[in-house]
Amino acid sequence: MNMINILAFLIIGYVGFKVLLDVHQIYYIKNAHATNDDLELFSIDIDYFYRSNSYNISKLYVSIFNMFIMGIILFYFIFSGGIQNITNIIEELKITYINHDLAIVIFFVVFMTLVNMPVGLYKTFYIEEKYGFNKSNLGLYLKDSLLSLILGILIISVLFSTFNILFITYPDYWWLYIWIVYILFNIFILYAYPIFIAPLFNEFKKLSDTAIIEVVNNLSKKTNFSVSNIYVMDGSKRSAHSNAYFTGVHKSKRIVFFDTLLTMLTPNEVEAVLAHEIGHYKKNHILKSMLMSLVFSFLAFYIIYNLTLLDSLFIGLQIDANSPGELIIFFSLVIPSVLFFLNPLFSSLSRKNEFEADNYAKNFSDRNNLISSLKKLYKENLTILKTSPLYSKIYNSHPTVFERINNLKL
């Protein structure tokens, strides 16, 4: 079996298996039943259970449709000369004010943005709207999309220009130097995202609720963890969904609460959620993730380099292996297919981290407060209660709510 056949098998497996998983999940949800104990645990009725199922099934149908579109795009660009067609279009446009290969990449990014926009609009203004989550409007949505595109093009232009120079200057070692650039870029993003990028889309204010500040200060002393940089994000500007996350490193380190979360939880429940987030830091989950990313990225760049040496593969696919732009597009399309089959590993590690963070939290806060906050989060976000074990093992970065509650009760 030659490389083109292996590649085709990989793409078909990726698209087909992903669609079958979504179909399997839909079938599982439709046939799931909630016991009276399940309903009582979350203080919900059977109508809520079916509403949650309907919401999640709607998203799965969109995922299936999106996957079919992606399958067409993959086969067009990889096996039907689509990348070469982009090159021909750029040549016909006679663009001279930017690098030829950079123009190819930017054209592809804009094309993919436009292709994905209808699905994004449907999800936001039909599904999210139907279930009461959408708080955005078309103007804000388009503004966000345009800002994301401009920001993406700027970042891509800088990274690609660096890649282009290294690719031409160091034909045998460009992969190693690009790996180093990748590391430096990720470190830069860790610092820059919370300070410069996130504020472009949302407003962040220092936590000012005195009751919450008091429990936070007490938790800070108990855990010996400085939590002075706690911010509230205006998530309600776009969505009714709630969340909290840890971001940044060193002086840019901060914990962010959605404003929707703070209106939902009591101060003691906020303390429990915060203890969970601190647990991720104390258990070195961020550091471990970074180290794992370094190892995987090193191997990935080395494998990519060796694949670029397979002239027969790129000749057969009508792709110029000497064109950095065409290579970037090719690998950006292929890599998600490979990562999909590694996803169970990453998901398993992530679920392990969540259990560890929960265990840390119950040692420094009341476990009952974390349990009650979990119930509220799952309820208010219409999170699916009964999910397929197979689907969960492959996709879910968090244990199910029942698994987390059972673990917290131990």
Side-chain angles (χ1 to χ4, degrees), residues 219 222-223 268-280 282-283 353-371 373-374 404 407-408:
L219 181 63
K222 286 191 292 184
T223 59
N268 288 332
E269 288 170 339
V270 170
E271 178 190 37
V273 172
L274 182 55
H276 172 92
E277 296 301 325
I278 293 173
H280 282 302
K282 288 288 188 175
K283 294 296 182 179
N353 290 345
E354 292 303 319
F355 278 131
E356 289 184 355
D358 279 350
N359 290 337
Y360 180 89
K362 71 183 181 182
N363 289 329
F364 290 94
S365 64
D366 188 332
R367 70 185 68 195
N368 292 317
N369 288 324
L370 186 54
I371 290 173
S373 66
L374 283 173
R404 294 184 69 180
N407 175 66
L408 286 167

Side-chain angles (χ1 to χ4, degrees), residues 175-177 179-180 182-183 291-306:
W175 62 274
L176 179 60
Y177 297 126
W179 177 67
I180 295 172
Y182 169 81
I183 295 171
L291 292 175
M292 187 170 67
S293 175
L294 292 181
V295 173
F296 272 97
S297 59
F298 179 86
L299 294 173
F301 282 120
Y302 181 68
I303 292 170
I304 287 171
Y305 163 71
N306 282 279

Side-chain angles (χ1 to χ4, degrees), residues 1 7 123 126-127 201 205 228 318 337 343 351 360:
M1 183 180 290
L7 185 60
K123 287 171 65 177
Y126 181 74
I127 295 179
F201 298 91
K205 293 182 179 179
S228 57
Q318 304 178 56
S337 303
N343 205 57
R351 290 193 297 271
Y360 180 89

Side-chain angles (χ1 to χ4, degrees), residues 17-237:
F17 194 43
K18 207 167 185 300
V19 169
L20 287 175
L21 272 175
D22 285 346
V23 171
H24 166 72
Q25 176 76 333
I26 290 171
Y27 178 80
Y28 188 95
I29 293 173
K30 285 184 175 180
N31 289 278
H33 299 283
T35 66
N36 290 331
D37 289 340
D38 294 333
L39 300 178
E40 186 177 342
L41 178 66
F42 289 93
S43 302
I44 59 176
D45 56 25
I46 195 66
D47 289 335
Y48 173 89
F49 176 73
Y50 288 131
R51 179 177 171 79
S52 171
N53 286 355
S54 177
Y55 172 60
N56 285 278
I57 287 173
S58 296
K59 292 194 295 182
L60 287 164
Y61 279 129
V62 172
S63 174
I64 291 171
F65 173 78
N66 198 47
M67 207 59 230
F68 277 119
I69 298 299
M70 183 54 62
I72 293 171
I73 289 172
L74 287 170
F75 275 90
Y76 170 68
F77 281 109
I78 295 175
F79 301 106
S80 300
I83 295 177
Q84 183 58 49
N85 289 341
I86 291 181
T87 300
N88 295 337
I89 290 172
I90 297 300
E91 288 177 351
E92 289 177 7
L93 291 175
K94 294 182 171 38
I95 297 175
T96 58
Y97 47 87
I98 60 173
N99 177 273
H100 174 76
D101 282 282
L102 177 57
I104 293 173
V105 173
I106 291 176
F107 182 94
F108 175 75
V109 170
V110 173
F111 172 81
M112 290 301 297
T113 300
L114 294 175
V115 167
N116 290 324
M117 185 167 285
V119 172
L121 287 166
Y122 178 80
K123 287 171 65 177
T124 301
F125 294 103
Y126 181 74
I127 295 179
E128 295 294 302
E129 187 80 29
K130 178 180 178 181
Y131 292 92
F133 290 120
N134 179 47
K135 302 299 179 184
S136 183
N137 56 60
L138 184 59
L140 181 59
Y141 182 90
L142 294 177
K143 176 187 174 183
D144 285 346
S145 299
L146 181 59
L147 184 57
S148 297
L149 178 60
I150 293 172
L151 188 61
I153 289 174
L154 288 174
I155 293 173
I156 288 169
S157 297
V158 173
L159 291 177
F160 179 80
S161 298
T162 304
F163 168 67
N164 191 38
I165 293 171
L166 294 173
F167 183 83
I168 295 171
T169 309
Y170 305 100
D172 295 326
Y173 295 100
W174 59 263
W175 62 274
L176 179 60
Y177 297 126
I178 285 297
W179 177 67
I180 295 172
V181 171
Y182 169 81
I183 295 171
L184 295 175
F185 174 73
N186 276 275
I187 293 173
F188 168 75
I189 287 296
L190 281 173
Y191 275 94
Y193 177 79
I195 299 175
F196 301 109
I197 299 177
L200 294 174
F201 298 91
N202 290 95
E203 184 178 354
F204 295 82
K205 293 182 179 179
K206 277 287 189 85
L207 181 67
S208 59
D209 188 306
T210 54
I212 296 178
I213 289 175
E214 183 178 353
V215 297
V216 165
N217 288 336
N218 290 334
L219 181 63
S220 178
K221 293 175 184 177
K222 286 191 292 184
T223 59
N224 191 28
F225 181 85
S226 175
V227 286
S228 57
N229 288 332
I230 302 179
Y231 287 83
V232 180
M233 188 187 88
D234 61 339
S236 59
K237 184 178 180 180

